[in-house]
Amino acid sequence: MEYLSQIVLIAIGAALINNFVLHYFVGICPFIGVSRRVDMAFGMGAAVTFVISIAAMLSWVLTYYVLQPGAPLAKWIAGLFLPAEIAAQVDLSVLTYIVYIFVIASSVQFVEMYLRKFLPALYKSFGVFLPLITTNCAILFACLYVMKMVVGVEPAEQWGLVPSLTLAFFAGIGFTLAIVIMAGIREELDHCDVPAPLRGPGITLIVSGILALAFLAFTGMDRKLEKMFKGDAPAVTAAQDAQVPTSASPVWKPPAQTDSPDTDTQRQ
Amino acid sequence: MAKDGPTPLERFLRGIIPENPVFRQVLGTCPTLAITGTVRQAITMSAAVMFVLICANLITSMIRNLLKPHLRILVFTLTIAAFVTIADKFLAAFVPDMSEKLGPYIPLIVVNCIIICRCEVCASKQGLAASAADAVGQGLGNTLALVAMATVRELLGSGSWFDIPLFWKEGTAGEQFRWSIMNQPPGAFITFGLLLGAVVWIDQLHQKRAAAAKR
């Protein structure tokens, strides 16, 4: 039950509360570049969801078995030609960024080849989006997030494959949600009289600011849900609720949000 | 190397305002939005970007004759990833608090479009001097943009500049004037949108004036 609730919290956190685009600001380039029409936005979202799941899965496997300090596979390989006490200290975490970018680039290539061979219809609908994804920060960010939950964490709290996959998949869903909403708004914006200097990226950014404001409303949902899952916690009053810092995001707050108490002053 | 192309000095100057990577080309938006909460973060980040940009441009320029067209993006990203690792370890060792705050955004320099774009457009075609000048110019342009963003956001959101309190001190009555939204994601988007609009507006005014002068 605890495991299941953890999974649900991760899923909701990744898709809504800490939406990758609107909370962590990753994947902004496609968010602005490809959000002109709803069908294209949906294609991009689907492609990202697809690749992000594969990349996060691969990077979890690599991080857990090869890259983390004292990883089993790395230790075993080093043990073949080094004395055991030196092999036990093997630490390849310096290589993480290079390995991740390699994993992403090759999995994009691989997905592309697979789709072209076996699912040509889907391949045609993804079109140019697949190669573009290689440089999408959202994918690398998901890999780094997974790394953060594996490297240097107590073994009991390390993430397994399932939480990592859930995070990545629902981050992709969140990305799709944000980009499709944005595309819907932009289709309407075409008929609006926007001041000349703001046309194009300017107005898109301002609209996404308002969208981000809307997504701020999900803040604190995870805390409520956690309490609901545990069941035994006493009911929280609004005053107590306001005292807790903004989001119970497990890994990073965006550095922009380091001054956390201000939401509380706003609310009072 | 193109003989009649712009000189290194022109390349350098061009990167700062006329072809500013952030405001004119709208590249590298992730760090622009994410780490401009305070000026100190922005400076640290843009220093890291500049280091990686210069090194990656130099290496790419050196190996430009060996590059195979279909593998070049991969080579660029791997070069960049190596230098980002260096920058990341350096920051973690010497400014651990900043490294903590910037968190995932330092490794995300790997996929920063500015660097890949400069490698592709300039360094893979030009000699060492031209690519170095280009990298420094674009890096300064990026710094300028990040500091501009951070100035607006820090002044309105925290009432300070470079961590020096200007409008009010922490914990005094003046704090009620803080625009807390500026410290949060929506503020970043809106500031960036408005600054982008302002830059385009100034540019349009210039063009109009130039057209009027011609007549």
Side-chain angles (χ1 to χ4, degrees):
Chain A
M1 183 59 202
E2 188 143 312
Y3 189 67
L4 201 65
S5 68
Q6 187 202 2
I7 299 286
V8 172
L9 283 178
I10 290 171
I12 291 174
L16 296 176
I17 305 165
N18 300 324
N19 187 292
F20 268 30
V21 178
L22 298 171
H23 188 264
Y24 285 127
F25 311 107
V26 288
I28 299 283
C29 304
F31 182 67
I32 291 170
V34 199
S35 61
R36 226 168 280 267
R37 278 177 29 227
V38 170
D39 50 342
M40 276 170 74
F42 194 77
M44 185 72 194
V48 166
T49 311
F50 203 62
V51 177
I52 207 172
S53 310
I54 291 172
M57 204 161 64
L58 285 176
S59 72
W60 182 84
V61 171
L62 280 171
T63 317
Y64 194 83
Y65 289 106
V66 183
L67 291 171
Q68 65 165 332
L73 195 61
K75 216 192 299 188
W76 180 73
I77 292 175
L80 291 182
F81 43 87
L82 284 175
E85 60 269 25
I86 298 179
Q89 297 170 6
V90 67
D91 178 4
L92 295 179
S93 53
V94 164
L95 292 178
T96 39
Y97 304 154
I98 297 179
V99 168
Y100 285 166
I101 203 72
F102 207 81
V103 162
I104 294 169
S106 47
S107 61
V108 167
Q109 202 80 39
F110 210 71
V111 166
E112 197 179 347
M113 273 161 25
Y114 179 83
L115 287 182
R116 195 176 347 177
K117 182 97 169 78
F118 294 103
L119 299 165
L122 193 63
Y123 175 73
K124 211 172 254 174
S125 65
F126 279 176
V128 292
F129 301 133
L130 268 178
L132 271 182
I133 288 174
T134 315
T135 53
N136 185 333
C137 358
I139 316 269
L140 183 62
F141 186 82
C143 294
L144 291 167
Y145 203 117
V146 168
M147 179 193 97
K148 187 90 177 168
M149 302 314 282
V150 172
V151 175
V153 178
E154 293 293 312
E157 286 173 8
Q158 264 183 348
W159 274 18
L161 185 58
V162 177
S164 314
L165 196 57
T166 317
L167 171 94
F169 180 72
F170 279 93
I173 299 280
F175 178 83
T176 314
L177 191 70
I179 198 172
V180 168
I181 294 176
M182 193 64 215
I185 297 176
R186 278 186 80 174
E187 278 186 356
E188 295 298 315
L189 267 181
D190 284 346
H191 310 294
C192 295
D193 186 19
V194 179
L198 286 180
R199 265 174 217 156
I203 194 71
T204 314
L205 281 163
I206 292 173
V207 169
S208 33
I210 297 166
L211 204 56
L213 205 58
F215 268 70
L216 269 189
F218 289 117
T219 308
M221 205 169 109
D222 48 350
R223 226 167 46 239
K224 283 269 162 62
L225 274 176
E226 209 174 350
K227 273 172 194 141
M228 212 177 78
F229 283 134
K230 278 181 186 157
D232 51 1
V236 228
T237 61
Q240 271 176 337
D241 199 31
Q243 278 167 10
V244 193
T246 37
S247 93
S249 123
V251 181
W252 291 297
K253 280 191 237 165
Q257 233 177 317
T258 36
D259 303 328
S260 57
D262 26 1
T263 33
D264 307 341
T265 36
Q266 179 113 62
R267 236 180 263 165
Q268 291 155 6
Chain B
M1 210 197 301
K3 282 277 181 292
D4 50 354
T7 61
L9 183 68
E10 273 171 19
R11 280 179 190 283
F12 169 73
L13 290 177
R14 216 185 255 183
I16 297 179
I17 302 269
E19 285 180 16
N20 188 298
V22 176
F23 287 135
R24 307 312 294 276
Q25 306 174 41
V26 200
L27 295 174
T29 38
C30 307
T32 312
L33 291 167
I35 49 82
T36 48
T38 64
V39 180
R40 248 169 75 86
Q41 285 175 11
I43 294 266
T44 319
M45 182 70 183
S46 36
V49 170
M50 198 147 144
F51 165 74
V52 177
L53 182 55
I54 293 172
C55 294
N57 251 12
L58 287 181
I59 295 282
T60 314
S61 174
M62 276 184 233
I63 59 169
R64 67 183 186 279
N65 296 326
L66 304 173
L67 287 175
K68 301 273 178 293
H70 56 286
L71 280 179
R72 65 181 197 292
I73 301 284
L74 191 61
V75 174
F76 295 161
T77 30
L78 289 181
T79 318
I80 297 166
F83 285 112
V84 168
T85 311
I86 297 174
D88 186 39
K89 298 289 168 201
F90 183 87
L91 286 179
F94 289 96
V95 270
D97 59 323
M98 272 291 132
S99 171
E100 181 96 345
K101 271 185 192 157
L102 294 176
Y105 296 100
I106 292 286
L108 281 178
I109 299 176
V110 177
V111 284
N112 192 320
C113 336
I114 298 176
I115 303 176
I116 297 176
C117 171
R118 284 345 281 177
C119 284
E120 167 81 22
V121 172
C122 178
S124 61
K125 301 193 181 85
Q126 308 291 336
L128 275 180
S131 349
D134 185 77
V136 177
Q138 296 282 339
L140 281 181
N142 181 47
T143 313
L144 195 72
L146 288 193
V147 171
M149 279 280 295
T151 305
V152 174
R153 287 185 64 194
E154 199 182 343
L155 278 180
L156 294 177
S158 320
S160 56
W161 195 77
F162 227 97
D163 292 344
I164 305 161
L166 291 182
F167 292 167
W168 62 78
K169 286 211 173 70
E170 207 67 31
T172 56
E175 215 165 328
Q176 57 182 304
F177 298 113
R178 140 193 305 217
W179 292 21
S180 52
I181 206 71
M182 279 294 165
N183 279 332
Q184 289 180 334
F189 280 113
I190 292 170
T191 316
F192 190 28
L194 290 178
L195 277 182
L196 204 67
V199 170
V200 176
W201 183 61
I202 293 170
D203 190 49
Q204 282 173 349
L205 277 188
H206 268 289
Q207 278 177 1
K208 234 179 252 170
R209 219 171 278 163
K214 229 178 236 173
R215 246 185 281 137

